[in-house]
Amino acid sequence: MSKEAQNKIRDLIIDMMTEGVSTGVLTEVEAMAACSSACAAIIATMMPAQADEQVAFHTAEVAAHRKARSN
């Protein structure tokens, strides 16, 4: 997920929670808890992609090192 997409989602969550508090549907504590849970879910979905990228980078690095040693 791009940084821009993350920022848009964050802004949407904040706007929705602010609207919920201002209309009395949510208390401030409920809104903060909902924001926290939403952020945790977003971070959890980003972690596997980050790990895959790091593993791919490391694998390419090791392969290049082995190739250089074999020549």
Side-chain angles (χ1 to χ4, degrees), residues 3-69:
K3 197 69 159 169
E4 183 179 330
Q6 292 172 19
N7 289 339
K8 284 182 180 179
I9 291 171
R10 180 203 61 210
D11 292 345
L12 177 64
I13 291 168
I14 291 169
D15 289 344
M16 291 171 59
M17 295 305 120
T18 302
E19 181 70 21
V21 170
S22 67
T23 59
V25 174
L26 296 172
T27 66
E28 289 178 3
V29 172
E30 290 170 331
M32 287 188 288
C35 286
S36 178
S37 296
C39 289
I42 291 168
I43 291 168
T45 61
M46 291 172 13
M47 296 309 284
Q50 255 184 347
D52 290 345
E53 290 172 11
Q54 290 172 348
V55 168
F57 176 77
H58 180 67
T59 302
E61 224 176 21
V62 169
H65 178 71
R66 286 182 180 165
K67 184 177 181 180
R69 282 183 47 200

